[in-house]
Amino acid sequence: MKLLNYRYLDKNSLVEFIQNREIINSNSLLIQLFYSNSNTRDLYKVKEELKEILPNASIVGTSTAGVISNGEMLDDNITISFSIFESSTTKSMGYKNLSVDEIIKNLSTDIIVSDTKLLIIFANTFKFNSVELLQKLAKQFPQIVLAGGNAGDDFKFESCKVFSNSENDSDVVVACINSKILNVETKYLLNWQTVGQEMIVTKAVDNIIYEINNKKVLDIYEYYLGKNIADNILQYGREFPLMFNPDGVDVARAPIAVNDDGSLVLAGNIKEGCRVKFGYANIEYIEDYNHNFLLKENEYLSEAIYIYSCSARRSMLNNYLNDELSIINKIAPTSGFITYGEFFHDGKSCSNNLLNITTTYVVLNEHKAIKKVDRPKEHMIKDKRDITLKALTTLIKKTSEDLNENISYLDQFKEIVNNASIISITDKKGIITEVNDNFIKLSGYQRDELIGKSHNVIRDKNMSKEVFKNLWSTIKSGKVWKGIVTNRAKDGSLYYVISEIAPIFYSDGSFREFLSIRIDITELEEYRALLKNELDSSLDYTRQYENGISSMVPIVKTDIDNKINFVNEAFSKISGYKLDDLVGLDCSKLRDKKHISEDDCQSISDEVKKNITFKKLFTNLTEDGSEYITDILFYPIVDKDKNVIEIVQIMHDVSEIYQLNKELTDTQKEVVLTMGAIGETRSKETGLHVKRVAEYSYLLAILYGLNEEEASLLKQASPMHDIGKVGIADNILNKPGKLTKEEFEIMKTHTDLGYEMLKHSQRPILKASAIVARTHHEKWNGSGYPRGLSGEDIPIFGRITAVADVFDALGHDRVYKKAWKLEDILNLLNEEKGKHFDPKIVSLFIENIDNFLKIRDSMQDTF
């Protein structure tokens, strides 16, 4: 067989093409007629010309979202595909206003015969639900291959046309190819990857979906993909289909219409109870996998290939789809169209499926292939948009993998600590927010009896109030407190714990929670009490107690003048000193010079001499000068008259923990800096713009009354306000003149693009950045975008950044304008007070304009 494509010009050139190619009028000729953005009247005129010239040929045709011809995508044309068979016959038929059962009955009697090998089916997307036809054909004719798809209408999503020899405006048309020797293979390419949470379809009827996870389907799209996607679901949402895997075939369902009740019409049925995820195109994976798959699966040249590829795939992949089609065309001449849903026959399960986001293709041969495919060594050259898209999707994938790996490691570390310790977490007021099972077991209280309460519920009232006063003073100053605490269980019994309480901070330095880790020493304390009653001398007792503990942890003992009079083997090992070299040494000689300059050793000595247990984190130096970090409990030893005579230092080596924390913190900062760098280099604005906006935002936040933690967080987050512009094409982003209405709509999407890039992180700076990216173009009177928020419904971070961004943008040259005078900028801010901007923020800004001008003048762009 042969496959020839002709782009229609006029009747004379059509006749000349048919004559020159020696296309013979017979029932062995199948004509597929595809059109894009063409007048229906002209189309039917072409069909009548074909019927006149080739009356015995079978004709089927469809409107499209793009024509595929010889490995290329074409728009705004009528293309005629001639399939010339040698040993096969064809027949076509169009059906209108018939039920599926009536159509199948007619096919059985008038079309399908014993040697039918292939059915080509085109369906009217908006009038005919093709799923029922596909399923019933599979049940009645499981061995017959079918292909084709739902008609397109050039992304208008309004109406489409399918037709045959006999019927101009059909619901569905079918072309049948009968042969004893024709070999037919169907294949498809998808390779979209699923992302996010698995969800359950909770309400759906046929191809209409109402609810997911018991929420309105559009609310789900808005929650995970943003309001801009939900509000423009047919334009953008089709690139993020719902995906599932029935019968081992990856199936995607993209929306093709929105009903008045907010439900979505999908390009294929979906069942209630179906578990779905959003699909996502990883460009690097798709490009490499499809390239290798096509060449591996098709070693020899074939005679013809019919391609039916999804419109959403075209929208997302752009030139990468051209690459895909080009490779297929090296296997055989190709023809087909861009569909609103592709029909695919799976030979293994003998099932027919309506797919989305795929490229399905049918390989046809009447003779055995003997010539090998000429394999391209490189991919097609892509334009800047394609390269950027690939880089961004790869960045998202790699960043997500790295963060997931860190989270997995931290979860394992947390589990180990959780199993080995007694843990509680409180807010800044000391109210318990979480306890682990060991805490519950030791205290005797249930979790719901502890959450929301303070630790007073377990505290022994006989403990000195000074201990807790010192505890709170220490941890509120940002330091770690460690000491022995007596608690009382629910049954009234006492238990003793060594408690280490530390403030935990977010990566930006703002407070998060207090973490308390305890070790149960009840048995040791009870044993100490027993010894104390039996021994004559308190001092003798303490020495015995000291010996018992020193075998387990590094211990240093000093006199009240800080001279070392005892160390154990454990300390000798971590410090690198010999035992004899340490005795008599002033313990300050073991400390890093920063502790010496701050006189920490003397300060602690003064406190412990008051018979107060003290806890301090020290950086120490080994004998060879290396650093190691210890968490030290300074414990006073008293004589029988309660006079402090010695100080025991009980140590815990935390060097590895602090190094791990530093590495994780550095990783988080690197991610943030990398994303900020992308934003700075994407457009032609200077990096000083985002730095000035950061400083303006910080100052405005302080003036507005935000605390230092909140203001610092905004300062770090505001530079990412325009990170979403990495997804905006250069010709729009850097256009020197005014944007068109359509271009501005695309530009507006940078807010949701930035939000989508950042929102999944649990890191405070990225969460704050996501809020700024999404809301800095909202307006006080509700006329902003992307969500039309108004007044104080707009997060304060977005309201502050809006003023800072506009002030700096107007005051500096851009590709599309010159810098404004200061007087004009201030007049604009006053005019837009209460309209565009929060009136309080504008007033604060103008009242303190001199301070903002100092910031501006200290960071001027230089060229």
Side-chain angles (χ1 to χ4, degrees), residues 6 8 40 151 286 391 410 427 521 569 583 655 699 710 816 841:
Y6 166 74
Y8 183 81
T40 304
I286 290 173
L410 289 174
D427 62 18
I521 59 168
E569 290 287 347
V583 175
S655 302
L699 179 54
E710 295 169 321
Y816 52 86
I841 294 174

Side-chain angles (χ1 to χ4, degrees), residues 759-778:
K759 71 174 185 179
H760 296 293
S761 175
Q762 297 303 310
R763 309 303 175 195
I765 185 172
L766 294 183
K767 291 175 71 174
S769 298
I771 292 172
V772 171
R774 195 182 197 189
T775 62
H776 72 286
H777 281 297
E778 299 287 1

Side-chain angles (χ1 to χ4, degrees), residues 509-740:
S510 60
F511 174 83
R512 178 171 182 167
E513 61 198 11
F514 290 119
L515 173 66
S516 301
I517 299 178
R518 305 167 181 82
I519 299 174
D520 182 10
I521 59 168
T522 303
E523 289 187 12
L524 286 174
E525 284 295 314
E526 290 174 346
Y527 182 57
R528 183 177 72 165
L530 177 63
L531 289 177
K532 190 173 183 180
N533 290 331
E534 293 178 350
L535 297 175
D536 296 329
S537 169
S538 221
L539 180 59
D540 185 45
Y541 154 73
T542 55
R543 287 174 178 167
Q544 295 181 55
Y545 189 66
E546 172 190 279
N547 291 337
I549 295 178
S550 67
S551 63
M552 297 182 290
V553 293
I555 293 176
V556 172
K557 188 173 68 175
T558 71
D559 59 22
I560 59 175
D561 295 321
N562 287 332
K563 293 293 191 296
I564 298 173
N565 55 32
F566 171 82
V567 295
N568 66 354
E569 290 287 347
F571 180 78
S572 176
K573 183 176 180 180
I574 66 170
S575 68
Y577 285 91
K578 296 179 181 179
L579 294 175
D580 293 341
D581 294 335
L582 290 166
V583 175
L585 189 68
D586 189 318
C587 71
S588 63
K589 302 296 184 182
L590 304 175
R591 314 302 187 197
D592 184 79
K593 60 182 180 181
K594 67 181 180 182
H595 297 299
I596 306 303
S597 63
E598 296 176 7
D599 205 18
D600 288 338
C601 294
Q602 188 59 49
S603 298
I604 293 173
S605 178
D606 292 342
E607 289 296 317
V608 179
K609 287 176 184 178
K610 300 175 185 178
N611 199 10
I612 297 174
T613 301
F614 202 90
K615 193 269 179 188
K616 175 74 175 178
L617 196 70
F618 270 99
T619 301
N620 307 297
L621 299 176
T622 64
E623 187 178 28
D624 63 5
S626 301
E627 290 186 355
Y628 65 100
I629 302 172
T630 54
D631 198 5
I632 306 176
L633 175 66
F634 294 87
Y635 196 89
I637 303 298
V638 299
D639 59 19
K640 61 182 179 180
D641 297 322
K642 305 298 183 182
N643 296 314
V644 176
I645 58 174
E646 291 181 321
I647 301 170
V648 176
Q649 300 179 25
I650 304 172
M651 303 183 182
H652 177 47
D653 186 359
V654 295
S655 302
E656 185 175 348
I657 295 174
Y658 271 78
Q659 181 61 31
L660 171 62
N661 181 68
K662 181 179 182 303
E663 291 175 359
L664 293 177
T665 301
D666 290 345
T667 299
Q668 294 168 20
K669 291 180 179 178
E670 184 178 352
V671 171
V672 172
L673 290 174
T674 300
M675 294 178 71
I678 293 173
E680 290 183 20
T681 57
R682 178 67 176 85
S683 70
K684 293 183 179 179
E685 300 167 11
T686 71
L688 288 177
H689 168 65
V690 295
K691 294 179 181 178
R692 290 190 296 265
V693 169
E695 294 296 334
Y696 297 154
S697 299
Y698 172 80
L699 179 54
L700 269 175
I702 294 296
L703 293 171
Y704 192 87
L706 300 187
N707 61 37
E708 178 64 27
E709 293 176 356
E710 295 169 321
S712 295
L713 179 59
L714 176 57
K715 178 180 179 179
Q716 296 177 70
S718 61
M720 304 243 285
H721 63 278
D722 277 338
I723 188 65
K725 287 184 178 179
V726 298
I728 304 300
D730 278 349
N731 64 323
I732 295 176
L733 183 62
N734 294 310
K735 183 176 180 179
K738 183 178 180 181
L739 298 179
T740 66

Side-chain angles (χ1 to χ4, degrees), residues 122-184:
F122 303 151
N124 189 318
T125 307
F126 304 104
K127 292 183 179 180
F128 188 81
N129 188 341
S130 52
V131 173
E132 183 182 1
L133 176 63
L134 298 182
Q135 292 176 346
K136 289 189 174 181
L137 281 173
K139 188 173 182 179
Q140 189 161 341
F141 305 102
Q143 303 303 323
I144 295 181
V145 176
L146 63 80
N150 286 327
D153 67 341
D154 297 294
F155 300 93
K156 298 181 181 70
F157 303 103
E158 297 172 352
S159 65
C160 54
K161 300 288 184 182
V162 295
F163 54 90
S164 67
N165 305 55
S166 58
E167 191 73 48
N168 275 348
D169 190 11
S170 301
D171 294 331
V172 62
V173 297
V174 181
C176 177
I177 303 174
N178 308 313
S179 178
K180 296 186 182 299
I181 67 169
L182 181 67
N183 182 61
V184 180

